[in-house]
Amino acid sequence: MVIGVGSGYGIPTIAEFWNKFQVGTTNIPIAIGLILMMYPPLAKVKYEELGEVFRNYRVLTLSLLQNWLVGPVLMFLLAIAFLRGYPDLMVGLIMIGLARCIAMVIVWNDLAEGDPEYAAGLVAFNSIFQVLFYSVYAYIFITKLPPLFGLKGSVVHVTIEEIAKSVFIYLGIPFIAGVLSRLIGLKTKGKEWYERRYIPRISPITLIALLFTIVVMFSLKGEYIVKLPLDVVRVAIPLLIYFVAMFLVSFYMSSKVGADYQKAATLSFTAASNNFELAIAVAVAVFGINSGQAFAAVIGPLVEVPVLISLVNVSLYFKRSYFRSPATS
């Protein structure tokens, strides 16, 4: 983070360098970093056991409520409470809340020793909902609801094709790679080699790619972060409240429905994380790369990354303190 912000501010041309690799609203270095970051956790998933995710209706229902009712509504309320006087930043924050996480949650879940099969299943489920309903949610939460609170609504035009493209790049590619790796690895080398040798060998790629992605993201907006610190703080405060509240409430609700530690951690990180790639892509496409909406969307991952890394440690503390019996699934 420090290297990213420092290079972005001290070497202003670095943003131009990264933007040379921009195709449409997709930044290729960030896309590569995210794909490589997600590949090892998705290669670990036992895809043959995914059916269990969709058979547990209580857990699935809770995840849907957390992601598609509680999360968007909470972020909307925080946005109008903290950013009423800054409508562009407010809209950008609302857009983050509507984009449910399909990417980095895989990494947070892996670091927190959550359930990889549940993470993959819930992320896939969120992806389908995202493609089908993001446009509808954007219309409701950004165009229709703000006037009810005395605020001006913004018109947002985003197509299903644009959302599907984002979902495919950031989830589809590493998901397909993970599935093929497991199928080919088990068939050609066997389960022992795949899980004991191949997976440990590729696992470090996740942290290396995560660090690379963080440096690139922070360097792209390093100059703005230093020059507009108050705007960063204005967006960061409601985001911080959102991430922590969603995580803690989700962990509590998960334990109440009988989820073990692995599933509780997975549900909590799925609920607390957001698909900032989609939020940034939509904000840039609709409002422009230099808009306040795009700036707020970029602040999202700058807050999410350190907060979610901290919550990984909180999750592991919960595991040691409140889930003493080993997980059975």
Side-chain angles (χ1 to χ4, degrees):
M1 288 163 57
V2 172
I3 292 172
V5 173
S7 60
Y9 179 72
I11 313 172
T13 55
I14 196 168
E16 296 177 14
F17 172 75
W18 293 124
N19 285 327
K20 287 180 182 178
F21 306 98
Q22 189 91 4
V23 178
T25 58
T26 302
N27 183 283
I28 301 301
I30 291 179
I32 292 173
L34 287 167
I35 290 167
L36 289 175
M37 178 179 68
M38 291 171 61
Y39 168 66
L42 286 170
K44 294 179 186 177
V45 173
K46 298 174 182 177
Y47 292 95
E48 62 273 15
E49 299 178 9
L50 274 181
E52 182 187 345
V53 177
F54 302 103
R55 285 195 295 268
N56 192 328
Y57 297 112
R58 293 178 68 186
V59 171
L60 187 59
T61 301
L62 177 58
S63 178
L64 288 175
L65 287 173
Q66 290 169 333
N67 279 285
W68 297 100
L69 180 61
V70 178
V73 170
L74 176 60
M75 189 72 91
F76 176 81
L77 294 175
L78 288 170
I80 62 173
F82 284 89
L83 299 171
R84 175 180 287 267
Y86 304 89
D88 291 351
L89 299 180
M90 181 188 75
V91 170
L93 193 65
I94 293 172
M95 294 176 74
I96 295 174
L98 301 181
R100 311 315 300 163
C101 195
I102 61 167
M104 295 187 79
V105 65
I106 297 287
V107 178
W108 310 136
N109 182 72
D110 188 55
L111 295 175
E113 301 173 7
D115 190 308
E117 285 70 48
Y118 262 74
L122 294 177
V123 161
F125 211 71
N126 276 343
S127 300
I128 296 169
F129 266 68
Q130 206 149 222
V131 171
L132 295 176
F133 298 117
Y134 187 87
S135 300
V136 177
Y137 268 61
Y139 175 73
I140 294 172
F141 280 86
I142 298 175
T143 304
K144 286 297 183 181
L145 287 184
L148 299 180
F149 293 82
L151 301 166
K152 182 181 179 181
S154 300
V155 178
V156 178
H157 296 294
V158 55
T159 66
I160 288 178
E161 288 77 15
E162 290 174 310
I163 301 167
K165 176 184 174 183
S166 174
V167 170
F168 175 76
I169 292 172
Y170 299 115
L171 176 65
I173 293 175
F175 202 95
I176 292 170
V179 172
L180 290 177
S181 294
R182 184 166 183 85
L183 289 176
I184 296 172
L186 293 182
K187 188 173 182 179
T188 59
K189 293 286 190 175
K191 186 175 182 180
E192 180 76 14
W193 175 87
Y194 186 80
E195 295 186 350
R196 297 290 181 87
R197 297 185 63 182
Y198 182 71
I199 292 299
R201 195 171 295 168
I202 65 171
S203 291
I205 295 175
T206 294
L207 290 178
I208 295 170
L210 174 62
L211 291 173
F212 169 78
T213 306
I214 289 172
V215 170
V216 175
M217 286 193 305
F218 277 62
S219 65
L220 278 169
K221 294 296 179 181
E223 187 176 4
Y224 291 100
I225 291 169
V226 175
K227 290 183 177 179
L228 301 171
L230 290 181
D231 282 350
V232 174
V233 172
R234 288 187 185 100
V235 177
I237 291 174
L239 278 172
L240 176 62
I241 295 171
Y242 172 86
F243 292 135
V244 174
M246 284 295 293
F247 177 82
L248 295 178
V249 171
S250 297
F251 225 108
Y252 176 77
M253 292 171 65
S254 301
S255 65
K256 285 301 179 182
V257 299
D260 60 21
Y261 168 76
Q262 287 184 306
K263 293 180 180 61
T266 299
L267 285 166
S268 300
F269 282 107
T270 304
S273 305
N274 290 87
N275 183 0
F276 59 81
E277 305 93 348
L278 176 60
I280 293 171
V282 173
V284 170
V286 175
F287 299 103
I289 193 168
N290 294 315
S291 65
Q293 292 88 342
F295 179 80
V298 169
I299 299 303
L302 306 190
V303 177
E304 179 176 356
V305 169
V307 172
L308 268 293
I309 288 176
S310 300
L311 290 176
V312 166
N313 289 287
V314 173
S315 182
L316 293 171
Y317 169 77
F318 286 166
K319 180 183 181 181
R320 293 191 301 268
S321 302
Y322 305 110
F323 295 86
R324 299 186 183 282
S325 58
T328 56
S329 59

